[in-house]
Amino acid sequence: MPTDIKFNEMFTVIQSLDELINLKENESILLGYFSTDTCSVCKVLKPKVAELIETEFPEIKIVYIKSDVFPEIAAKFQVFAAPTILIFFEGKEFIRRSRNIGIDELSGEIKRLYSILFS
C-alpha cells in the first residue's frame, strides 16, 4: 500500500476558482475532493480515494479543494458538506457524493464513465 506522502502527491491542491474551472474543462475525467482541515472523515477517506484512483483509474486527474480556505470555490460548485467528491467527465459533472461515501459504490460509478472513455 502506498504511503500517505504518495497519496498527498497524487492530489493537485487547487489555489483558485479559475484553476479548477480550467482543469475541469481540459481534463477528460477530473475528480474534485472537497474537504476541510477539521474533517476527520475526510482524512480517513482521502488515502482510500487516492488508492482507488491509482490502482483502478490511473487516467483520472485528482484535485483537492480546501472548502474552508476557498469557500467561494465550494459555493460555485454547490458543495456544502465535507467530504464531497465531484467527478467531471468531459467538463460536465456526472458524479456527486457527500459525507458517507462508500469506496466500492464510488468505484462502480467511476468504472462506467471510465470504460466509455478509455476502453
Side-chain angles (χ1 to χ4, degrees), residues 58-116:
E59 298 297 323
I60 295 178
K61 172 102 174 145
I62 309 172
V63 296
Y64 180 73
I65 303 98
K66 294 182 179 182
S67 300
D68 51 348
V69 176
F70 298 103
E72 68 280 2
I73 298 174
K76 171 72 175 171
F77 289 93
Q78 298 180 348
V79 171
F80 305 109
T84 294
I85 293 174
L86 301 181
I87 299 179
F88 300 95
F89 178 66
E90 296 184 348
K92 300 206 180 347
E93 181 183 322
F94 269 77
I95 298 172
R96 176 181 290 256
R97 292 288 166 262
S98 290
R99 296 190 188 219
N100 299 323
I101 300 167
I103 291 296
D104 291 338
E105 178 185 340
L106 182 64
S107 175
E109 291 181 82
I110 294 171
K111 195 171 290 183
R112 284 191 295 273
L113 288 175
Y114 198 82
S115 66
I116 291 169

Side-chain angles (χ1 to χ4, degrees), residues 26-45:
N26 292 303
E27 294 291 331
S28 298
I29 300 181
L30 179 72
L31 184 148
Y33 189 89
F34 289 79
S35 179
T36 65
D37 286 337
T38 59
C39 175
S40 58
V41 172
C42 302
K43 292 174 186 160
V44 172
L45 185 63

